[in-house]
Amino acid sequence: AALLSFPKLSEIFFSCLHYVVSEGAETLVLIPQVDVRRALFQALEYGLKQYDAIIVTHTLEAISSIASSSLRLLSSSNNSAPSVIPQDTEEMMMQCTYDVMHMLIYGDSVVDDILPPAAEALYPLISCISNRYNQVLHKLVEQAQQQHKSR
């Protein structure tokens, strides 16, 4: 993470991450190594917390690719089969949904440039976790209530 404090290096890293994820999103969703998926989602979470709109845009586009691939996999499996998406990936997508919504609602540096990729990421994210979306909303509401009480 220390190397990512250099703006140009960070921009190159997230540009490469976006490319790799966009080209192989379906493979990454189903990769059997939980550590690899977790590291990928941690990198994406880190990218959402950056102040550079280009980095955040690359991150949102990568999240959108993963969520869209997951949604395609879910819709291609029949309803009687168990989910083809690993449970930990669903949990990580819930966290991404929360992070994107939190960034849009509470973010200090939300610029117009990131709104379209954020919307493109949220639609497949919410569609993938539709049965658990209320948990994400509940978490956001709880945070708003805590912030209101602290004022």
Side-chain angles (χ1 to χ4, degrees), residues 125-145:
L125 279 169
I126 292 169
S127 298
C128 286
I129 63 160
S130 61
N131 58 337
R132 298 175 68 189
Y133 178 61
N134 61 341
Q135 293 173 4
V136 174
L137 293 178
H138 183 71
K139 191 174 173 182
L140 286 165
V141 168
E142 278 183 348
Q143 181 177 6
Q145 290 171 340

Side-chain angles (χ1 to χ4, degrees), residues 58-140:
H58 286 313
T59 303
L60 288 166
E61 289 169 346
I63 291 170
S64 181
S65 294
I66 291 172
S68 295
S69 293
S70 298
L71 186 58
R72 278 192 297 278
L73 288 168
L74 286 171
S75 58
S76 69
S77 69
N78 69 33
N79 293 337
S80 61
S83 176
V84 294
I85 305 299
Q87 180 66 30
D88 65 298
T89 299
E90 184 180 344
E91 294 292 328
M92 290 179 230
M93 285 198 299
M94 281 184 62
Q95 185 62 43
C96 277
T97 305
Y98 172 82
D99 291 341
V100 172
M101 293 181 76
H102 184 273
M103 175 189 66
L104 292 173
I105 296 168
Y106 301 109
D108 296 333
S109 62
V110 175
V111 293
D112 292 342
D113 295 347
I114 66 167
L115 294 178
E120 287 179 31
L122 279 173
Y123 177 76
L125 279 169
I126 292 169
S127 298
C128 286
I129 63 160
S130 61
N131 58 337
R132 298 175 68 189
Y133 178 61
N134 61 341
Q135 293 173 4
V136 174
L137 293 178
H138 183 71
K139 191 174 173 182
L140 286 165

